[in-house]
Amino acid sequence: MSSAVHRRMLKEYLAIQKNSATRPHLELLEPIQEDDLLHWQAILLGTADSAYEGGRFRLDIVIPNNYPIHPPAIRFTTKICHPNVHFKTGEICLDILKSEWTPSWTLESVCVAISSLLTNPEPSSPLNCDAANLLRCGDMAGYNSLVKMYTALYAMDDEEQ
Amino acid sequence: MSNDITDPSDWPTEYASLREIDSHLRCPICKEMLRAAVMLQCHHNFCSECIRRHLDKESNCPACRIPTSTSQMRRNVALDEIANNFKDCRSKLLRILMESLEPKRNTSQQHGPLSRSNSMEIDDVALQQKRRRTSARMSPTNKSAPKISNDGSSNCSQDPNNMNMDLSLADDDNDDRDGDFVDVSSHESTSHHKGKHVTRSSGPVLRSRIPRSSNASTPLELSNNTAPAPELVSSTLPDFGPSNSASGAPTTSVPGSVLSKPSTLVACPICGNGIPFTYTNTHLDNYCLLKQNDPNYTIPYKVIITQKSDIIALYEKCGASGKSISNATANTSTSVSISSTTPGGSPRRTNDSQISPGLSFNSNGGKKPVATYPEPKRIPKLTYSILNDKQLRKKLQELGLPTHGDKQLMQKRHAEYVTIYNANCDATRPQTQAQLMKAMEVWERSYEKDMQTREAQRRALEQQQQIQQKELAQQKKKEEERAATENDTEPGTPTLSSSQSSSQNGGSNHVNNDAVAVAVATASAFAHALKYADEYAELIADVKKRMQADKEKKTLEDNQQAQMRTQPNS
């Protein structure tokens, strides 16, 4: 059973290496250690023209043994201010990582989904109430400046994890 | 290891349709070639095993989320067969394609941007090389380096794959002059008639080589009533025959014989008949797009392919039984050629007497018996919650599975076996019972391993928690002590004074719990404030700066407005 996971992860790894040029918002997506295909890391780049511009956000990805039937566990290790991301734990509230997961997703597609979540927040199911409240009140200036500040504080520095 | 990890992107970009085929023959769940393909109500296809595992957890289609269940799954036998066969030939096909692309890429790199006529020539060269390669590789007994001999019979015998279209060429290869002639004509056609080609809007070299049926004027006689082998006729067009054959270009001896080999047939995208690759444009322009039938190529590609494989089978049989290969193959090639050029007629065999009696090739007209796929017996799922240990153990015993372990393990074991057994029922190439049992053993081992690692992780977590608790306790103690000392030194702060009073009330040794909590809270808040003092200061400074800037802006605007007001007045 677990060998099936390894096969699939190896497949994804090779596929990711092959078309690395076709994903502009994903700086990195690879296993942390070569011999452990069940623990990955990724670095998302903040989209240009958004409040996250210039930020590099690190993701920690843990693949369960029954992947792809079960979704991977993904969290931000870089602190990020976003209505659907827990500020302290980095937990991501995204339906496709929970109830709406289907085995046809790949790590790459999930990373793209998270990247698009950054620019399209869903304030109705918040993990970060402060950011969500700003959005719900329509205070875009406040929200954007808050996000910009935290991006500058935590996501600009290369050393920052 | 990475060799058996395949991906649709393995295919060269020149063959985008092959990529498509590859990706459509893959299961969206495991991303492998479909194994025991099944189709859901929504017409999405998956490996039987993968979709069963998914449907155990959720009852919707992984691709479109339409609700579904195992009972609505249907075997997709045709797709499974296609996937199986594609899997078999994939690596071979890929290698051949890659090799055929290599010379083309090299030449185009050497020449850089090309004029139209130039590129045609190069295409021709690439094609020649391709032909040479394929013809050399495809002969199964030809273990030594491919020798291109001009001896017709040996050529024919060494190259069973090409026989089908090559038939009459076997004779022509005997003729050295022919080889020269062919090569020259192809070269000349691009150089001499450059103007002609350039003025034409479409249709490269091929146009000048329209094959003519029953070409009486060709210098070579076609043997055995075969239809005009297109490649031959096309390359021996009498247009510029005499002058060219006299010119005797220097590089003709070897490539000439190679060129006279036909290109592999391809299926016409419109009529589906087998046509030579180089003849595609002419065929399309002159016949298919005008909705006319091409008299030269009337045999569907599929039929040709099946006959081809029959010939290979025959060839192998001949080789195995030590019959004189050249004779047998020559005969069959004739017979096939006739059958393939009899439009609409059933394949006929001539010279039956000369073919060894053991060979029953083509007697069925190339048709396989229609396979029937009876619905196999599947193991029903169990509702484990209503079974006790004994009953479950009995069920496992009936299936020949090990019965050790607790109920959870037995339950998982049973579920796993049901999944792979039922999935195996869907396969057109099912595994044996022994293979399934082996898979179960592997599963058993990996499950044990999983449990061990999980146990180890749990223990590590517990230990960590214990350590954390200890640290917390120690911290608390320290905080208490610090709070106590602070109480002595700084009685001024209001919160601390309260705790002081309470502790004083309870006596110096006895410490009130509430007081400690308050003390800890204040102390941690204090520490927090200290830790982030710099950040807060910065933030506050930033906010102040902005507020000041805003104020200045406002005052400026006010001033301007005031000026504006005063100006019209003045």
Side-chain angles (χ1 to χ4, degrees):
Chain A
M1 212 158 132
S2 61
S3 69
V5 183
H6 282 102
R7 251 187 98 75
R8 158 114 187 204
M9 293 324 294
L10 200 59
K11 209 170 256 278
E12 287 200 25
Y13 181 51
L14 293 176
I16 287 163
Q17 279 185 327
K18 252 184 200 167
N19 42 24
S20 56
T22 58
R23 40 191 172 84
H25 302 318
L26 201 55
E27 182 184 306
L28 185 93
L29 178 58
E30 62 178 26
I32 292 176
Q33 283 169 341
E34 282 281 318
D35 56 349
D36 185 10
L37 277 171
L38 298 185
H39 197 181
W40 289 49
Q41 62 175 351
I43 295 180
L44 291 183
L45 296 178
T47 337
D49 304 328
S50 77
Y52 297 100
E53 188 176 355
R56 295 167 77 247
F57 303 95
R58 215 170 260 273
L59 290 172
D60 179 74
I61 304 168
V62 177
I63 314 287
N65 262 334
N66 40 13
Y67 180 85
I69 303 297
H70 283 261
I74 304 185
R75 63 185 192 90
F76 275 98
T77 46
T78 307
K79 268 207 191 319
I80 180 168
C81 176
H82 188 279
N84 306 112
V85 180
H86 196 284
F87 189 69
K88 277 185 182 147
T89 60
E91 185 196 341
I92 303 168
C93 179
L94 186 58
D95 53 358
I96 62 150
L97 289 178
K98 284 162 189 153
S99 57
E100 294 297 292
W101 167 261
T102 90
S104 16
W105 286 83
T106 62
L107 282 191
E108 199 174 347
S109 53
V110 167
C111 284
V112 171
I114 293 175
S115 174
S116 74
L117 177 74
L118 289 189
T119 43
N120 303 299
E122 196 57 62
S124 48
S125 58
L127 276 175
N128 183 344
C129 288
D130 300 328
N133 280 337
L134 280 175
L135 264 188
R136 269 188 264 185
C137 298
D139 185 2
M140 287 312 288
Y143 172 75
N144 279 335
S145 63
L146 191 72
V147 168
K148 252 182 210 168
M149 185 194 84
Y150 279 112
T151 304
L153 269 180
Y154 295 111
M156 296 284 198
D157 194 1
D158 276 357
E159 299 304 309
E160 197 74 49
Q161 283 277 315
Chain B
M1 177 97 186
S2 68
N3 278 344
D4 59 20
I5 302 285
T6 57
D7 193 78
S9 60
D10 295 340
W11 298 99
T13 44
E14 283 89 338
Y15 296 90
S17 49
L18 271 173
R19 271 188 186 206
E20 281 295 304
I21 292 172
D22 191 291
S23 64
H24 279 97
L25 289 179
R26 274 171 198 281
C27 165
I29 296 178
C30 62
K31 316 278 182 206
E32 308 267 355
M33 285 284 157
L34 286 164
R35 286 176 301 139
V38 292
M39 184 161 69
L40 298 181
Q41 225 178 6
C42 50
H43 305 128
H44 288 112
N45 292 286
F46 302 93
C47 296
S48 181
E49 192 182 326
C50 296
I51 191 66
R52 278 167 196 279
R53 285 189 200 286
H54 173 74
L55 290 178
D56 278 347
K57 187 179 155 253
E58 259 168 78
S59 44
N60 59 17
C61 165
C64 62
R65 298 186 211 279
I66 287 176
T68 186
S69 68
T70 38
S71 61
Q72 286 167 332
M73 267 167 30
R74 290 287 173 271
R75 297 171 66 186
N76 197 340
V77 177
L79 189 68
D80 195 34
E81 292 280 20
I82 294 171
N84 281 334
N85 286 302
F86 190 68
K87 216 186 303 179
D88 291 345
C89 70
R90 191 179 185 277
S91 59
K92 217 179 206 173
L93 189 60
L94 189 60
R95 203 184 59 225
I96 292 172
L97 276 186
M98 285 314 216
E99 282 176 14
S100 73
L101 278 175
E102 260 167 35
K104 205 172 192 174
R105 281 183 180 152
N106 288 344
T107 42
S108 58
Q109 273 165 11
Q110 284 166 13
H111 287 255
L114 299 158
S115 71
R116 191 178 172 82
S117 57
N118 253 348
S119 69
M120 280 170 212
E121 224 169 66
I122 279 163
D123 277 349
D124 241 4
V125 171
L127 211 69
Q128 270 184 39
Q129 283 168 341
K130 191 175 174 179
R131 266 182 231 156
R132 197 184 305 165
R133 279 162 179 278
T134 42
S135 64
R137 200 180 306 103
M138 282 186 168
S139 59
T141 55
N142 194 7
K143 279 165 193 153
S144 59
K147 254 188 261 170
I148 295 145
S149 70
N150 283 335
D151 176 29
S153 60
S154 73
N155 230 352
C156 177
S157 66
Q158 279 187 349
D159 211 344
N161 265 23
N162 279 344
M163 258 180 267
N164 199 11
M165 324 133 233
D166 212 1
L167 343 157
S168 51
L169 291 181
D171 300 347
D172 306 327
D173 274 357
N174 281 327
D175 195 341
D176 269 348
R177 252 187 325 135
D178 174 47
D180 296 359
F181 170 63
V182 169
D183 194 73
V184 170
S185 72
S186 75
H187 273 264
E188 297 296 307
S189 68
T190 44
S191 52
H192 276 214
H193 297 259
K194 214 175 259 179
K196 208 171 161 189
H197 291 306
V198 173
T199 50
R200 277 184 181 152
S201 58
S202 68
V205 193
L206 319 169
R207 278 201 182 236
S208 62
R209 303 201 214 155
I210 300 166
R212 294 173 188 180
S213 53
S214 60
N215 203 338
S217 62
T218 26
L220 303 155
E221 271 200 15
L222 301 171
S223 57
N224 291 346
N225 288 335
T226 54
E231 201 58 24
L232 169 77
V233 176
S234 64
S235 50
T236 53
L237 267 188
D239 285 3
F240 19 77
S243 61
N244 289 333
S245 58
S247 70
T251 57
T252 49
S253 56
V254 175
S257 62
V258 173
L259 189 73
S260 61
K261 289 201 179 303
S263 61
T264 26
L265 289 195
V266 295
C268 167
I270 296 177
C271 65
N273 290 349
I275 50 171
F277 173 64
T278 49
Y279 176 61
T280 316
N281 278 346
T282 323
H283 171 78
L284 285 176
D285 291 349
N286 292 349
Y287 301 105
C288 271
L289 290 179
L290 301 176
K291 295 191 178 165
Q292 287 176 357
N293 289 330
D294 188 340
N296 296 326
Y297 300 98
T298 51
I299 311 299
Y301 182 64
K302 279 185 197 165
V303 176
I304 296 174
I305 289 299
T306 49
Q307 283 171 354
K308 230 169 132 183
S309 60
D310 281 340
I311 291 183
I312 295 171
L314 169 72
Y315 174 80
E316 279 166 355
K317 275 187 187 171
C318 281
S321 59
K323 304 261 169 195
S324 76
I325 294 167
S326 58
N327 253 345
T329 45
N331 287 330
T332 46
S333 66
T334 316
S335 69
V336 171
S337 79
I338 287 168
S339 70
S340 66
T341 49
T342 323
S346 60
R348 241 179 326 127
R349 229 193 305 163
T350 60
N351 301 335
D352 263 6
S353 54
Q354 291 181 29
I355 298 176
S356 52
L359 307 168
S360 61
F361 104 104
N362 225 0
S363 58
N364 208 4
K367 278 179 196 163
K368 282 182 190 170
V370 177
T372 53
Y373 301 101
E375 201 60 20
K377 267 193 179 175
R378 295 194 165 83
I379 307 177
K381 275 186 191 169
L382 296 176
T383 314
Y384 298 110
S385 54
I386 59 162
L387 290 176
N388 60 27
D389 282 19
K390 239 184 197 171
Q391 287 166 320
L392 190 54
R393 200 157 283 145
K394 205 178 165 192
K395 290 272 180 197
L396 286 174
Q397 220 159 19
E398 282 169 14
L399 295 172
L401 293 168
T403 53
H404 61 81
D406 57 355
K407 191 182 174 188
Q408 200 194 357
L409 173 60
M410 286 198 287
Q411 188 179 321
K412 282 196 171 164
R413 185 184 294 139
H414 189 270
E416 173 74 15
Y417 184 71
V418 169
T419 303
I420 64 169
Y421 182 88
N422 287 346
N424 194 41
C425 290
D426 291 325
T428 46
R429 296 182 190 175
Q431 292 179 307
T432 61
Q433 183 70 19
Q435 279 172 312
L436 287 187
M437 281 301 166
K438 212 164 197 180
M440 281 309 290
E441 272 173 38
V442 172
W443 175 84
E444 204 87 34
R445 252 175 277 147
S446 73
Y447 183 80
E448 253 170 51
K449 226 181 190 177
D450 278 359
M451 291 315 277
Q452 280 171 1
T453 50
R454 219 172 277 179
E455 182 68 16
Q457 278 176 352
R458 202 176 55 80
R459 265 185 216 155
L461 206 77
E462 265 179 17
Q463 278 181 352
Q464 220 173 353
Q465 277 176 348
Q466 278 178 357
I467 291 170
Q468 274 181 350
Q469 275 176 356
K470 266 185 195 170
E471 278 177 359
L472 258 178
Q474 280 179 350
Q475 236 173 12
K476 244 184 187 173
K477 254 187 190 171
K478 272 184 191 170
E479 303 275 356
E480 276 170 28
E481 285 167 12
R482 208 202 297 169
T485 50
E486 274 172 5
N487 284 350
D488 294 338
T489 51
E490 300 176 36
T493 35
T495 44
L496 291 177
S497 66
S498 70
S499 71
Q500 189 189 17
S501 61
S502 61
S503 65
Q504 275 172 347
N505 285 345
S508 59
N509 287 338
H510 179 72
V511 181
N512 195 326
N513 279 341
D514 288 347
V516 169
V518 171
V520 167
T522 43
S524 64
F526 192 65
H528 185 256
L530 261 178
K531 197 174 171 188
Y532 292 104
D534 291 345
E535 262 174 41
Y536 285 146
E538 265 176 37
L539 277 181
I540 290 164
D542 191 50
V543 170
K544 270 185 185 170
K545 236 187 231 170
R546 279 189 198 176
M547 279 167 71
Q548 216 166 1
D550 281 351
K551 255 187 197 169
E552 280 170 15
K553 237 186 204 172
K554 248 188 190 170
T555 49
L556 256 174
E557 278 172 11
D558 283 348
N559 284 345
Q560 277 176 351
Q561 276 180 357
Q563 279 178 358
M564 292 280 275
R565 265 181 231 144
T566 51
Q567 269 170 359
N569 283 350
S570 64

